[in-house]
Amino acid sequence: HRSMAMVKRLLLYSLVGLVLAGFAFQWTRSKPTTQVSEELAAPTVDAAGIVHVGSIRLWRDYAANEVAADNLYKGKSVRVMGRVLSIGKDGRGAAVLNLVSGNPVFQSMATLEAAQTQRAATLMKGTRVTVQCVGNGLMMKMPQLEDCSLLEPQ
């Protein structure tokens, strides 16, 4: 009889623990971090005509409709906020930041001005950055940003 009461108590504690863990998990998933919300930021245009957008939103806009996204970004001054996924060089030796896009294969590519190469060497994967660039359309399903400058942390 005593062992049956202990089993019931153990089951009750386990059930309560699972319910609390479920609430905690849902609570943490339902609260977006500032970092992610910046990356999802919808495009806005400031008084100087600069388009501000998050790196994930930029990629999603191009994935949804390249023509509409080109109307928003191509040939325009664009300020993009996001996290660095990787840092490399293009065929000309220019530093390129691949920004998180929400897609594991395709990223938003920000090619830095030559004067920014040394700053790129100090960055690490996962670093939050803001780059100011000129939108250059889509190539191989990846938004292209050219002539980029790294801005100071916001």
PDB file of all heavy atoms in Angstrom, residues 137-154:
ATOM      1  N   GLY A 137      20.352  44.095 -56.008  1.00  0.00           N
ATOM      2  CA  GLY A 137      19.502  43.046 -56.548  1.00  0.00           C
ATOM      3  C   GLY A 137      19.765  41.675 -55.960  1.00  0.00           C
ATOM      4  O   GLY A 137      20.307  41.534 -54.866  1.00  0.00           O
ATOM      5  N   LEU A 138      19.385  40.668 -56.745  1.00  0.00           N
ATOM      6  CA  LEU A 138      19.442  39.282 -56.308  1.00  0.00           C
ATOM      7  C   LEU A 138      20.352  38.500 -57.251  1.00  0.00           C
ATOM      8  O   LEU A 138      20.262  38.642 -58.466  1.00  0.00           O
ATOM      9  CB  LEU A 138      18.031  38.686 -56.344  1.00  0.00           C
ATOM     10  CG  LEU A 138      17.785  37.350 -55.676  1.00  0.00           C
ATOM     11  CD1 LEU A 138      17.904  37.483 -54.166  1.00  0.00           C
ATOM     12  CD2 LEU A 138      16.396  36.840 -56.025  1.00  0.00           C
ATOM     13  N   MET A 139      21.247  37.687 -56.688  1.00  0.00           N
ATOM     14  CA  MET A 139      22.063  36.802 -57.493  1.00  0.00           C
ATOM     15  C   MET A 139      22.096  35.448 -56.792  1.00  0.00           C
ATOM     16  O   MET A 139      22.412  35.369 -55.601  1.00  0.00           O
ATOM     17  CB  MET A 139      23.488  37.339 -57.654  1.00  0.00           C
ATOM     18  CG  MET A 139      24.325  36.426 -58.540  1.00  0.00           C
ATOM     19  SD  MET A 139      25.963  37.017 -59.024  1.00  0.00           S
ATOM     20  CE  MET A 139      26.565  37.875 -57.623  1.00  0.00           C
ATOM     21  N   MET A 140      21.757  34.401 -57.551  1.00  0.00           N
ATOM     22  CA  MET A 140      21.723  33.041 -57.002  1.00  0.00           C
ATOM     23  C   MET A 140      20.888  32.968 -55.728  1.00  0.00           C
ATOM     24  O   MET A 140      21.300  32.370 -54.724  1.00  0.00           O
ATOM     25  CB  MET A 140      23.149  32.535 -56.772  1.00  0.00           C
ATOM     26  CG  MET A 140      23.951  32.442 -58.061  1.00  0.00           C
ATOM     27  SD  MET A 140      25.673  32.013 -57.842  1.00  0.00           S
ATOM     28  CE  MET A 140      25.584  30.497 -56.946  1.00  0.00           C
ATOM     29  N   LYS A 141      19.744  33.607 -55.750  1.00  0.00           N
ATOM     30  CA  LYS A 141      18.778  33.609 -54.634  1.00  0.00           C
ATOM     31  C   LYS A 141      19.290  34.280 -53.377  1.00  0.00           C
ATOM     32  O   LYS A 141      18.795  34.032 -52.282  1.00  0.00           O
ATOM     33  CB  LYS A 141      18.288  32.196 -54.332  1.00  0.00           C
ATOM     34  CG  LYS A 141      17.577  31.551 -55.494  1.00  0.00           C
ATOM     35  CD  LYS A 141      16.928  30.259 -55.076  1.00  0.00           C
ATOM     36  CE  LYS A 141      16.285  29.592 -56.264  1.00  0.00           C
ATOM     37  NZ  LYS A 141      14.871  29.712 -56.297  1.00  0.00           N
ATOM     38  N   MET A 142      20.308  35.152 -53.512  1.00  0.00           N
ATOM     39  CA  MET A 142      20.851  35.868 -52.358  1.00  0.00           C
ATOM     40  C   MET A 142      20.853  37.368 -52.636  1.00  0.00           C
ATOM     41  O   MET A 142      21.436  37.804 -53.636  1.00  0.00           O
ATOM     42  CB  MET A 142      22.264  35.379 -52.048  1.00  0.00           C
ATOM     43  CG  MET A 142      22.298  33.947 -51.562  1.00  0.00           C
ATOM     44  SD  MET A 142      23.925  33.393 -51.057  1.00  0.00           S
ATOM     45  CE  MET A 142      24.618  32.904 -52.622  1.00  0.00           C
ATOM     46  N   PRO A 143      20.219  38.168 -51.758  1.00  0.00           N
ATOM     47  CA  PRO A 143      20.280  39.621 -51.921  1.00  0.00           C
ATOM     48  C   PRO A 143      21.735  40.091 -51.879  1.00  0.00           C
ATOM     49  O   PRO A 143      22.516  39.641 -51.038  1.00  0.00           O
ATOM     50  CB  PRO A 143      19.495  40.161 -50.729  1.00  0.00           C
ATOM     51  CG  PRO A 143      18.607  39.031 -50.315  1.00  0.00           C
ATOM     52  CD  PRO A 143      19.385  37.784 -50.615  1.00  0.00           C
ATOM     53  N   GLN A 144      22.072  40.986 -52.796  1.00  0.00           N
ATOM     54  CA  GLN A 144      23.431  41.509 -52.891  1.00  0.00           C
ATOM     55  C   GLN A 144      23.453  42.958 -52.425  1.00  0.00           C
ATOM     56  O   GLN A 144      22.651  43.773 -52.883  1.00  0.00           O
ATOM     57  CB  GLN A 144      23.929  41.440 -54.339  1.00  0.00           C
ATOM     58  CG  GLN A 144      23.880  40.045 -54.936  1.00  0.00           C
ATOM     59  CD  GLN A 144      24.836  39.099 -54.245  1.00  0.00           C
ATOM     60  OE1 GLN A 144      26.028  39.356 -54.170  1.00  0.00           O
ATOM     61  NE2 GLN A 144      24.306  37.989 -53.741  1.00  0.00           N
ATOM     62  N   LEU A 145      24.374  43.263 -51.539  1.00  0.00           N
ATOM     63  CA  LEU A 145      24.573  44.621 -51.037  1.00  0.00           C
ATOM     64  C   LEU A 145      26.007  44.996 -51.366  1.00  0.00           C
ATOM     65  O   LEU A 145      26.932  44.253 -51.052  1.00  0.00           O
ATOM     66  CB  LEU A 145      24.326  44.668 -49.533  1.00  0.00           C
ATOM     67  CG  LEU A 145      22.930  44.207 -49.077  1.00  0.00           C
ATOM     68  CD1 LEU A 145      22.911  43.936 -47.588  1.00  0.00           C
ATOM     69  CD2 LEU A 145      21.899  45.235 -49.469  1.00  0.00           C
ATOM     70  N   GLU A 146      26.221  46.139 -52.007  1.00  0.00           N
ATOM     71  CA  GLU A 146      27.552  46.553 -52.462  1.00  0.00           C
ATOM     72  C   GLU A 146      27.988  47.842 -51.765  1.00  0.00           C
ATOM     73  O   GLU A 146      27.163  48.576 -51.235  1.00  0.00           O
ATOM     74  CB  GLU A 146      27.540  46.772 -53.982  1.00  0.00           C
ATOM     75  CG  GLU A 146      27.158  45.549 -54.780  1.00  0.00           C
ATOM     76  CD  GLU A 146      28.202  44.441 -54.733  1.00  0.00           C
ATOM     77  OE1 GLU A 146      29.402  44.755 -54.627  1.00  0.00           O
ATOM     78  OE2 GLU A 146      27.812  43.267 -54.769  1.00  0.00           O
ATOM     79  N   ASP A 147      29.293  48.107 -51.837  1.00  0.00           N
ATOM     80  CA  ASP A 147      29.870  49.349 -51.301  1.00  0.00           C
ATOM     81  C   ASP A 147      29.452  49.580 -49.851  1.00  0.00           C
ATOM     82  O   ASP A 147      29.066  50.688 -49.470  1.00  0.00           O
ATOM     83  CB  ASP A 147      29.486  50.556 -52.169  1.00  0.00           C
ATOM     84  CG  ASP A 147      29.956  50.400 -53.602  1.00  0.00           C
ATOM     85  OD1 ASP A 147      31.080  49.882 -53.798  1.00  0.00           O
ATOM     86  OD2 ASP A 147      29.209  50.772 -54.523  1.00  0.00           O
ATOM     87  N   CYS A 148      29.531  48.551 -49.055  1.00  0.00           N
ATOM     88  CA  CYS A 148      29.047  48.608 -47.674  1.00  0.00           C
ATOM     89  C   CYS A 148      30.081  49.185 -46.709  1.00  0.00           C
ATOM     90  O   CYS A 148      31.275  48.938 -46.849  1.00  0.00           O
ATOM     91  CB  CYS A 148      28.663  47.226 -47.186  1.00  0.00           C
ATOM     92  SG  CYS A 148      27.332  46.456 -48.139  1.00  0.00           S
ATOM     93  N   SER A 149      29.558  49.900 -45.735  1.00  0.00           N
ATOM     94  CA  SER A 149      30.356  50.402 -44.602  1.00  0.00           C
ATOM     95  C   SER A 149      29.752  49.842 -43.336  1.00  0.00           C
ATOM     96  O   SER A 149      28.526  49.816 -43.191  1.00  0.00           O
ATOM     97  CB  SER A 149      30.310  51.928 -44.526  1.00  0.00           C
ATOM     98  OG  SER A 149      30.938  52.487 -45.644  1.00  0.00           O
ATOM     99  N   LEU A 150      30.625  49.408 -42.436  1.00  0.00           N
ATOM    100  CA  LEU A 150      30.160  48.976 -41.114  1.00  0.00           C
ATOM    101  C   LEU A 150      29.906  50.216 -40.274  1.00  0.00           C
ATOM    102  O   LEU A 150      30.776  51.079 -40.170  1.00  0.00           O
ATOM    103  CB  LEU A 150      31.232  48.124 -40.440  1.00  0.00           C
ATOM    104  CG  LEU A 150      31.345  46.690 -40.922  1.00  0.00           C
ATOM    105  CD1 LEU A 150      32.698  46.122 -40.572  1.00  0.00           C
ATOM    106  CD2 LEU A 150      30.238  45.854 -40.315  1.00  0.00           C
ATOM    107  N   LEU A 151      28.731  50.308 -39.714  1.00  0.00           N
ATOM    108  CA  LEU A 151      28.412  51.432 -38.832  1.00  0.00           C
ATOM    109  C   LEU A 151      28.733  51.041 -37.404  1.00  0.00           C
ATOM    110  O   LEU A 151      28.773  49.869 -37.051  1.00  0.00           O
ATOM    111  CB  LEU A 151      26.939  51.823 -38.983  1.00  0.00           C
ATOM    112  CG  LEU A 151      26.510  52.203 -40.401  1.00  0.00           C
ATOM    113  CD1 LEU A 151      25.045  52.544 -40.413  1.00  0.00           C
ATOM    114  CD2 LEU A 151      27.334  53.353 -40.945  1.00  0.00           C
ATOM    115  N   GLU A 152      28.944  52.025 -36.575  1.00  0.00           N
ATOM    116  CA  GLU A 152      29.211  51.758 -35.151  1.00  0.00           C
ATOM    117  C   GLU A 152      28.005  51.065 -34.557  1.00  0.00           C
ATOM    118  O   GLU A 152      26.891  51.269 -35.002  1.00  0.00           O
ATOM    119  CB  GLU A 152      29.500  53.076 -34.418  1.00  0.00           C
ATOM    120  CG  GLU A 152      30.780  53.731 -34.841  1.00  0.00           C
ATOM    121  CD  GLU A 152      32.024  52.853 -34.676  1.00  0.00           C
ATOM    122  OE1 GLU A 152      32.122  52.139 -33.667  1.00  0.00           O
ATOM    123  OE2 GLU A 152      32.873  52.868 -35.578  1.00  0.00           O
ATOM    124  N   PRO A 153      28.226  50.235 -33.533  1.00  0.00           N
ATOM    125  CA  PRO A 153      27.078  49.571 -32.900  1.00  0.00           C
ATOM    126  C   PRO A 153      26.016  50.566 -32.486  1.00  0.00           C
ATOM    127  O   PRO A 153      26.332  51.648 -32.020  1.00  0.00           O
ATOM    128  CB  PRO A 153      27.702  48.881 -31.683  1.00  0.00           C
ATOM    129  CG  PRO A 153      29.141  48.730 -32.028  1.00  0.00           C
ATOM    130  CD  PRO A 153      29.492  49.903 -32.905  1.00  0.00           C
ATOM    131  N   GLN A 154      24.769  50.158 -32.697  1.00  0.00           N
ATOM    132  CA  GLN A 154      23.634  51.039 -32.395  1.00  0.00           C
ATOM    133  C   GLN A 154      23.317  51.038 -30.922  1.00  0.00           C
ATOM    134  O   GLN A 154      23.295  50.075 -30.284  1.00  0.00           O
ATOM    135  CB  GLN A 154      22.406  50.604 -33.184  1.00  0.00           C
ATOM    136  CG  GLN A 154      22.650  50.573 -34.675  1.00  0.00           C
ATOM    137  CD  GLN A 154      22.943  51.931 -35.256  1.00  0.00           C
ATOM    138  OE1 GLN A 154      22.219  52.880 -35.003  1.00  0.00           O
ATOM    139  NE2 GLN A 154      24.010  52.083 -36.013  1.00  0.00           N
TER     140      GLN A 154
END
